Amino acid sequence: MEGRYVEIRFTLLGPVQVLADGEAVRGIAPRHRAVLAYLLLNAGRVIGMEKLIDALWGYDRPDTARSQIHAAITALRRVLRGVGADHVIETRPGGYVALPGPGRLDVQDFAELVAAGRFRDALELWHGDALADVHAAYAQGARALLDDRRLTAIERLVEAELDAGRHGRVLDELAGHVAAHPLRERLVGQLVLALHRSGRQADALAAARSYRTALAEEQGLDPGRDFAELERAVLADSPALRVEAADTPEQGGATDGAADRATDRARSNFLPYDIPDFAGRTAELDRLLADHRNTVVTIDGMAGIGKTTLAVRAAHRLADRFPDGQLFIDLRAHTGGQEPLPASAALEILLRQLGLTDIPVAESERSALWRAELARRRLIAVLDNAADGEHVRPLLPGVSDSLLLITSRRRLVDLDGAHALSVEALPSRDAAALFESVVGERAVAEPEAVREVLELCGYLPLAIRIAAARLQHRPRWTVSYLAGRLHDERRRLGELATSERSVAAAFTVSYEQLGTAEQRMFRLLGRAPGPDIEPHAAAALAGVPVPEAEDLLENLLDAHMLLQREPGRYTLHDLLREHARSLAGDDGDDGALMRLLLHYLHRSRSAVKQLFPHRVPDRPNMPPEITPVEPIGGAAEAIGWLDAERANIIATVVHGPEVCISHLAVALSPYLDRQGHHDDALTLHTVALRRSRALGEHAMPPGRALADLAWTHWRRGDYERSAAFAREALEASEDPHERSLALNALGNVAWRRRESAQAERYLKQALDLTRIAGDWSREGFVLGDLGMILDQTGRHEEARRHLDLALALHRKEGDPLGEARVLNHIGSVLRHQGRAEEAMARHREAGELYRAMGNGGDEASAFNGLGEAALALGEAARAIEEHAAALALADAARNRPEQARAHDGLARAHLSLGRDDRAREHGRAALRLYEELGVPETDEVRALLGSA
């Protein structure tokens, strides 16, 4: 389509499509369509990888989620490039952003037309259900939101037509909408009015009765006040409902509001000040401002999260809908130094706010009077700072059109029928807006320092306001200086305090309201170094049974002293973690972290044995279990547990007690290598080596840690350090397995440096030792690496024999990592033999295995193999795609050898297509990396650059 303008349009209000000159563009797979739709729904906003994964899969994310997203973006760009729209999806530092441009996205056009009052034009953009062919996790919620906007536009259109006297024009289509949405009260009310104005009073009353019956049967509710008044007016044939019929339709918008109703009731407004620098909470406000049938809404969240501010803002925004009064009361459940306000006293205050003076003494009578007043009024009341459900139960309405907003630090799970809204920390953009609204120009001048301050405040509104207020009243301070003061963990909570407000004081009130067992668990969680915890680990930490630990965690969650990002896992807000640590002091339980580390050791061994049955040896001096360890039920559970706990284990190793670390390093080594977690492996083995050297003869000998470090550095592309640690391991150990691992690393370093003869000697020595040790798994790895050396020296058939034997061993052992590596090597041999098509098949098999393991760093090697095979077949464009995919994966995994290889392949592919500038760009990137690695490819790339 080059050489002419192509009109591109994206549709979401129906099937998800890309239209080029009105024709649907083909070749977009369903999963890729779901990615495109989500980016377009958030057009103009950068969407991070984690948010995309959550949107597509929710809690059921596959191990290959990241690579699937990368593949989808690549495929979408390929399709969009074909119609000249490759600029629509851009990569930004924080993720991806869709930029469709004005007039190209039907959702945006719909919103603009509705805002302009052009309702019919807006509704003509719909072609069936929104996102009709998308089945991702986000689709149902997004579809419901879009459909609600469509129905709102229909209601506004009908209202305009009715106000203009064109009831006859809309009667038929209105009846169809009501048939599709029989419980949508506003639509039914409009149908009743249209029927009445058309002279069909009986039909109007029948429609009203039908709605009333359906609502009672399906939801156990009565219609709202407005509908009941309309029904009475129709029955009485009220003149107020009449309007002169219009014969000619007119263009233009119409006002949305209903006619103002006179009222002689006293209007009471006791709402606190609505702060002008309110920031964010758009989604929460939308939920609170939406029309819903709930008369009670609970707003819960941790101390300082902004519950009261949100409730007050919502009440002010809703005031016009509740003309009979806006009330507010502080129930004082979480106010330091004060007792919670009893329900009886609260009822007296609320009744007096309504203007009543004759108030009964008994709580039950006050409650009955309060319900009676709510039944005959339409008011909104904010009941702030409730202790629990029992605290506010006497304040709840009976049948009422009023709305109660109840805030609490606890989840009020016992209030049946209430609509619950849990408030979390502010998103970074909203947090920045709040900070800047208080601080002003100084914040704009230091954006990086602002981000640092917000992170140190944990995006908690109270902390942000205090930090901003301190900066505002200290004109000599810079934002960077404030960030520096907050960096000191020992004084951070002290810095987040003024004479009247304190983050620590707010946390203390919440802590003091916990039970003794919950307080102890909270303190212990502050000592756990990992980012989150699950019940089995918490049980070990506290030395209690698992069911008891789970109950304590759930109680802390209900009190908003813990957060939950996913089911079964609990974490502390950063500032709450510091508060917990400050409370821990000398807790008298020095064994807590030791119990936790031993839990991780024995659970890790159980999990890794499911994946590598022959690679978790029973070593001497293994510390016994202190708390019972639940066995792992299979490979899937094993990999899930290890992936979930990896960060916790590494953090506990680094910051916890130095016990059993060498045993833990040995146990985790096969898993960390298989999954490509080489940075974590480096951390773990380094701590194990330090521990081994510090304890001397009382610890596990250092040979294994040295050998593991040699292998890990080779995997990371640090060949100098790999060789150095391997030589140390050979000097320190007589163990056949440890020596074979070190010799394997030396052989691979020599292979990368193209010192083939030396590499072959090292690997043959390693092979002999693996056979002496009877280690078939390690034998498979050594045979595979020896096959690479033989291929490098041109002995392709001999290489294939070694690789075939290695493949058989890995398959016998059930080791997918070894199998994938050997398949990749076989692909390289086949390419060198001129059998590029067969080579591609082996690389694809390897890539699928790596993808199934979630090992993106090694998957990059499979893509690079595919790229090299494609270029050997003369398919340069295909080679570019494969190497680009390899580069994305290698960048994400920081795999320097594969990054260099990908740039090298891209340079050669672009050069073959005559794209000298792109070839030089990638060639220079490859040269820089090869120079860092210290490998012979450096000279080859220099020569390539000389010819480009």
Side-chain angles (χ1 to χ4, degrees), residues 401-485:
D401 288 331
S402 295
L403 175 63
L404 269 58
L405 301 179
I406 305 174
T407 73
S408 178
R409 293 187 189 178
R410 294 194 67 85
R411 301 177 199 272
L412 305 182
V413 295
D414 294 327
L415 295 184
D416 295 337
H419 178 78
L421 174 65
S422 291
V423 184
E424 298 184 352
L426 285 170
S428 57
R429 182 183 299 179
D430 295 344
L434 172 59
F435 188 82
E436 290 169 10
S437 68
V438 178
V439 173
E441 293 182 0
R442 277 189 289 173
V444 177
E446 296 183 81
E448 290 299 324
V450 168
R451 278 191 283 274
E452 193 174 356
V453 168
L454 296 177
E455 186 173 335
L456 291 168
C457 289
Y459 301 97
L460 186 71
L462 175 61
I464 295 168
R465 283 193 175 278
I466 291 174
R470 295 196 69 197
L471 190 64
Q472 185 185 31
H473 289 88
R474 286 164 176 76
R476 301 276 182 193
W477 284 17
T478 63
V479 184
S480 300
Y481 177 73
L482 173 63
R485 293 177 68 95

Side-chain angles (χ1 to χ4, degrees), residues 669-688:
S669 182
Y671 156 75
L672 294 173
D673 188 50
R674 162 181 154 161
Q675 300 302 113
H677 300 312
H678 305 308
D679 288 349
D680 286 338
L682 182 61
T683 299
L684 179 59
H685 298 315
T686 299
V687 175

Side-chain angles (χ1 to χ4, degrees), residues 182-183 185 188 192 204-224 227 231 293:
L183 295 182
E185 188 163 296
V188 178
V192 170
L205 290 171
R209 281 194 301 272
S210 177
Y211 169 70
R212 183 181 289 276
T213 301
L215 189 64
E217 289 178 351
E218 295 192 25
Q219 297 185 4
L221 298 173
D222 292 326
F227 188 90
E231 194 175 11
R293 303 188 186 284

Side-chain angles (χ1 to χ4, degrees), residues 685-815:
H685 298 315
T686 299
V687 175
L689 178 61
R690 186 177 68 235
R691 175 65 174 168
S692 179
R693 285 173 168 166
L695 292 181
E697 61 182 17
H698 300 291
M700 185 185 295
R704 177 59 192 261
L706 289 164
D708 282 329
L709 282 167
W711 184 254
T712 301
H713 279 297
W714 183 83
R715 296 280 270 153
R716 297 175 78 247
D718 191 339
Y719 304 131
E720 288 292 336
R721 289 189 181 181
S722 175
F725 277 113
R727 293 190 184 96
E728 276 194 76
L730 290 174
E731 292 175 4
S733 178
E734 296 297 327
D735 180 82
H737 178 84
E738 294 168 1
R739 292 182 65 81
S740 71
L741 191 60
L743 288 164
N744 197 164
L746 285 170
N748 284 10
V749 170
W751 166 70
R752 287 295 299 161
R753 293 170 173 170
R754 296 190 185 169
E755 298 165 352
S756 303
Q758 190 175 23
E760 187 174 351
R761 283 196 300 274
Y762 283 135
L763 289 172
K764 284 183 174 178
Q765 291 176 49
L767 184 61
D768 290 341
L769 288 170
T770 61
R771 287 171 172 167
I772 291 170
D775 188 346
W776 290 352
S777 178
R778 174 52 51 190
E779 181 181 349
F781 277 99
V782 177
L783 281 168
D785 293 344
L786 191 52
M788 290 190 305
I789 303 302
L790 297 170
D791 180 51
Q792 189 178 71
T793 58
R795 293 141 68 186
H796 305 308
E797 290 301 326
E798 191 178 351
R800 275 300 303 272
R801 288 195 296 273
H802 282 75
L803 291 170
D804 288 342
L805 180 55
L807 186 62
L809 285 170
H810 286 309
R811 285 175 172 168
K812 180 179 179 181
E813 290 286 296
D815 187 346

Side-chain angles (χ1 to χ4, degrees), residues 264-270 324-328 346-360 369-370 373-374 376-377 379:
D264 57 1
R265 293 179 185 153
R267 179 174 175 140
S268 306
N269 191 328
F270 289 86
D324 298 336
Q326 299 85 45
L327 314 184
F328 179 91
L347 285 164
E348 180 180 1
I349 293 170
L350 290 167
L351 290 168
R352 292 194 185 282
Q353 287 183 3
L354 290 176
L356 303 183
T357 56
D358 187 11
I359 298 172
L369 179 59
W370 168 245
E373 290 297 321
L374 290 179
R376 71 184 192 88
R377 300 174 187 257
L379 60 82

Side-chain angles (χ1 to χ4, degrees), residues 50 52 61 110 198 200 215 222 238 251 264 267 419 423 425 482 484 498 503 551 562 620 646 715 752 766 826 848 947:
E50 284 301 314
L52 257 178
R61 61 172 66 189
F110 174 79
S198 299
R200 298 166 59 182
L215 189 64
D222 292 326
S238 171
Q251 299 297 322
D264 57 1
R267 179 174 175 140
H419 178 78
V423 184
L482 173 63
T498 64
V503 172
D551 286 344
L562 284 180
R646 173 169 53 90
R715 296 280 270 153
R752 287 295 299 161
I826 291 173
E848 288 168 3
S947 65

Side-chain angles (χ1 to χ4, degrees), residues 18 114 123 291 337 342 375 459 607 719 739 743 768 794 832 861 869 920 925:
V18 180
V114 168
L123 291 168
D291 289 328
Y459 301 97
Y719 304 131
R739 292 182 65 81
L743 288 164
D768 290 341
H832 294 150
S861 68
R920 279 191 289 271

